[in-house]
Amino acid sequence: MSDAPKQGAQPAGRSSGGGTAARGGASWKVPLAAGAALLLVTAAVAVVRFSEDPAEETGAAQEAGASSGPAADGPGDTAPAGADAPMARRQADDPTALGDVDAPVVMVVYSDYHCPYCGRWVQETQPELAHYVESGDLRIEWRDFPVITDTSEDVARASRAAAEQGAFWEFHEAYYAAAEEPGERGTEETLAGVVDELGLDAGRFDEDRAADAAAAQVERDFSEGLSIGVTSTPAFLINGQAVMGAQPLEVFEAVIDSSLEAAGGGRQ
């Protein structure tokens, strides 16, 4: 795709320099410090870095640290008592979440539709974690963190329009797959192809992605990520443990399994 980022490039549309500002408004023009640590909302948290060469695996993964930070506002944002899942919203009607609302482990995923490492995770790792979701042990909550290209926010809003037609996860998979296809295609052409592939109502899709509601949903996710120090994608919080970048499957399995053990074991 013509909008594909260059490895090691600074995020477009949200830098403190002369980049193009995102369309979300002035409140989005927040400097992203390239070396900022990921600030977690627990006082002490384990940082998982299993890769021998994290820079190679993540492309732009940042060092992770531990601190305390604010949770997002809004009903259902706080994990229930006894659940060690900072930033989990646990909203039963959340179309951007997979798994039981009361699953003992919650993985919060901060991602960008134009991030090649995010695409790798979606296509290669996420399917291998499906058995945790199906057993009721894991809930995956998606957060839009559009920083890679000038049109990343446009695609994030488009995903919310797909959600309005009950097709968020179908869009999620189809767009990442389309982004991997060879050839020079712009974002709008790719979106049109995904809409056609999924059989969505194109008129309603265009109306919903241009609506204030879609912009507010994406801005909420982005602001949440900034509030805990996210600066690159993909970034994950698994019951408070940070995993930076598209790490190997074994890394995610190890953190999920240890989180399940700490929560008293998985469901029978």
Side-chain angles (χ1 to χ4, degrees):
M1 289 179 55
S2 59
D3 294 309
K6 295 180 180 179
Q7 184 173 351
Q10 292 295 322
R14 298 192 191 282
S15 68
S16 59
T20 303
R23 293 199 228 166
S27 64
W28 286 62
K29 298 176 183 178
V30 181
L32 298 180
L38 177 63
L39 305 180
L40 305 183
V41 296
T42 49
V45 67
V47 177
V48 182
R49 302 195 58 153
F50 284 58
S51 173
E52 292 183 358
D53 187 356
E56 178 179 306
E57 285 295 325
T58 65
Q62 307 298 324
E63 291 294 328
S67 182
S68 59
D73 295 331
D77 286 353
T78 303
D84 183 19
M87 311 314 294
R89 294 174 183 170
R90 295 188 183 272
Q91 295 173 323
D93 59 350
D94 184 355
T96 67
L98 290 173
D100 293 350
V101 71
D102 60 347
V105 178
V106 180
M107 174 190 293
V108 181
V109 184
Y110 297 89
S111 194
D112 184 313
Y113 283 102
H114 286 164
C115 164
Y117 299 98
C118 301
R120 176 194 299 178
W121 187 84
V122 166
Q123 294 178 303
E124 299 178 4
T125 305
Q126 183 178 322
E128 298 299 321
L129 301 177
H131 67 96
Y132 289 106
V133 175
E134 293 164 359
S135 66
D137 291 329
L138 175 68
R139 178 175 173 86
I140 299 175
E141 296 188 355
W142 178 267
R143 302 287 191 269
D144 284 305
F145 199 76
V147 294
I148 303 298
T149 73
D150 291 337
T151 57
S152 290
E153 184 186 344
D154 296 337
V155 184
R157 293 188 189 188
S159 73
R160 302 311 174 107
E164 291 295 318
Q165 298 187 47
F168 174 82
W169 290 100
E170 291 82 358
F171 175 95
H172 174 83
E173 295 175 6
Y175 192 89
Y176 275 119
E180 291 295 315
E181 295 176 359
E184 292 292 324
R185 291 179 300 158
T187 296
E188 288 301 313
E189 183 180 353
T190 303
L191 286 173
V194 170
V195 167
D196 183 63
E197 175 186 343
L198 299 181
L200 301 180
D201 182 326
R204 180 184 173 189
F205 177 84
D206 287 340
E207 181 177 343
D208 288 340
R209 66 178 171 137
D212 290 342
Q217 290 165 345
V218 174
E219 181 171 3
R220 180 192 186 194
D221 285 359
F222 184 71
S223 296
E224 177 186 294
L226 287 179
S227 77
I228 60 171
V230 174
T231 62
S232 63
T233 57
F236 307 84
L237 284 181
I238 305 174
N239 273 25
Q241 295 191 53
V243 177
M244 302 301 294
Q247 299 290 338
L249 172 63
E250 293 76 16
V251 173
F252 292 94
E253 291 177 329
V255 180
I256 293 170
D257 289 343
S258 66
S259 297
L260 282 171
E261 184 177 355
R267 296 182 178 179
Q268 302 301 321

